[in-house]
Amino acid sequence: MMSYRRVVWGVLLALVWTAESWAALFGDVRGIALDPQGRPIYEAKVFLRGHASKSPTVGQTNENGGFYFRAVTLGEYMIVIEKEGFKRVEQPLTVLPDSTPVLRFQLEIASLTQTFDIVAQPELMGSDSPTPTRLFSHQSEKPL
């Protein structure tokens, strides 16, 4: 009977130690994306990229503008938030154990810019006109 209790206590101690060591290796990242008036931005893309990682962890804001990354390895990261119509936000971030502050990101409205090229095609003079047409160059007064 004594050995059974020792095994149970050993398992419980191992579970507690594992949970404590897990918490010491990971942290959480929590934040909210807001527009210039302080309203939540829904469905903004949130990228969390570690300095040593090539591919980011990707999330999305909820209807309250919130996002949450759970069990992130401790260390240095870059957080990027994107939403069409807003300027992209990038901010460095350090993930620490036992610390999950709510990060606030206020996105600015993107300026509207459009570019286009206008290309004019030379048109032929209409031949169905009853009036005769003559073209003159600017260099001479002689008809072409």
Side-chain angles (χ1 to χ4, degrees):
M1 197 61 132
M2 282 295 246
S3 64
Y4 176 74
R5 285 185 178 175
R6 285 184 185 172
V7 169
V8 170
W9 278 108
V11 169
L12 287 174
L13 287 173
L15 288 174
V16 169
W17 180 81
T18 303
E20 287 178 6
S21 63
W22 176 272
L25 297 175
F26 297 94
D28 297 332
V29 175
R30 180 186 313 250
I32 185 167
L34 304 168
D35 71 9
Q37 288 77 36
R39 295 180 302 228
I41 299 175
Y42 179 57
E43 292 186 339
K45 294 269 188 194
V46 183
F47 303 91
L48 185 66
R49 180 180 310 228
H51 290 294
S53 175
K54 290 184 180 178
S55 60
T57 302
V58 181
Q60 185 170 301
T61 59
N62 61 23
E63 63 276 354
N64 299 317
F67 61 89
Y68 186 60
F69 294 103
R70 196 171 173 88
V72 176
T73 306
L74 304 181
E76 302 293 320
Y77 291 85
M78 181 63 72
I79 190 162
V80 178
I81 301 176
E82 294 179 342
K83 174 73 174 177
E84 187 175 335
F86 294 92
K87 290 183 181 178
R88 175 184 170 128
V89 172
E90 293 185 32
Q91 181 176 319
L93 168 72
T94 302
V95 177
L96 302 170
D98 299 325
S99 175
T100 312
V102 177
L103 306 170
R104 294 176 61 87
F105 297 91
Q106 193 143 14
L107 281 69
E108 296 178 25
I109 303 292
S111 59
L112 181 62
T113 58
Q114 290 183 329
T115 59
F116 52 90
D117 294 325
I118 298 175
V119 179
Q121 297 292 331
E123 293 184 28
L124 296 175
M125 300 290 291
S127 63
D128 53 347
S129 173
T131 308
T133 306
R134 291 189 176 206
L135 297 177
F136 292 89
S137 74
H138 290 290
Q139 298 172 348
S140 71
E141 295 294 321
K142 295 182 188 176
L144 296 175

